[in-house]
Amino acid sequence: MLFRSPVGDWTVVARISEELLMQPVHETLIQVAGASLVGIAVVVALLYFVGNRIARGIQQAAAAAQRVATGDLVCRGECPEDEGEIAELLLAIHRMTSNLHSVVSGVMRASIKLTSTAAELAAAARDQDGTIATFGSSTVQIAAAVQQISATSHELAGTMGDVASTTSRSEEHTSELQSPDHLVCRLLL
């Protein structure tokens, strides 16, 4: 090292070994490297922890979606503790599953009611078939009775015509019998 004095023409030369000169640099470098390694380890640990939490949430969401896809509509209490997007995704899947379960339950109830109504309609149709058959039989009997009444009416009309004719002849005979000529003839006989 070279040093010049401002007063006079003096120059001082000092010699230090390179090792001694570089020792503080090496110590600082080792300290910086150690701090960097600790910092990197902390960052890796944080990344691992955060990444693991995110991956666990995504795995839960994927498992829930897979259960829904296979028809399992029962919600399970798998909500994560945090308030992030994964939690929102899982809550949305649970709401969707719950709503879908309600819809499927409603469809099943409606299907059961529809089946019951169809059975009642089938029973009513069978009853109506029996009623129609009875009504058809009664209609045939009524038609036969009407034909009999019609035939009897014609016979009665013919009989009434005969009675009218007989009555008319009886009246003629009665008139003849009551005539004075007939009385005289009868008396003579």
Side-chain angles (χ1 to χ4, degrees), residues 43-166:
V43 168
V44 167
L46 284 174
L47 287 175
Y48 176 78
F49 176 72
V50 171
N52 194 20
R53 255 184 107 154
I54 291 171
R56 188 173 49 241
I58 291 173
Q59 287 172 344
Q60 287 176 342
Q66 185 61 32
R67 280 193 312 274
V68 171
T70 60
D72 182 6
L73 300 180
V74 178
C75 290
R76 292 177 179 78
E78 299 173 355
C79 293
E81 303 81 33
D82 62 354
E83 297 285 328
E85 290 84 7
I86 300 294
E88 290 179 26
L89 175 64
L90 282 171
L91 289 174
I93 288 173
H94 287 301
R95 279 193 304 272
M96 177 186 66
T97 303
S98 177
N99 291 341
L100 190 58
H101 180 68
S102 296
V103 168
V104 168
S105 295
V107 168
M108 288 174 68
R109 283 191 302 274
S111 176
I112 290 169
K113 190 172 184 178
L114 184 63
T115 302
S116 173
T117 302
E120 289 174 9
L121 284 174
R126 284 191 299 274
D127 288 346
Q128 288 219 338
D129 284 345
T131 302
I132 289 170
T134 303
F135 183 71
S137 173
S138 298
T139 303
V140 169
Q141 289 175 352
I142 290 170
V146 166
Q147 285 179 345
Q148 269 187 318
I149 290 171
S150 178
T152 305
S153 297
H154 286 299
E155 287 178 22
L156 186 57
T159 303
M160 291 303 284
D162 291 343
V163 168
S165 169
T166 305

Side-chain angles (χ1 to χ4, degrees), residues 177 179-189:
L177 289 176
S179 72
D181 292 334
H182 188 311
L183 282 177
V184 171
C185 286
R186 246 180 132 201
L187 285 172
L188 290 178
L189 283 174

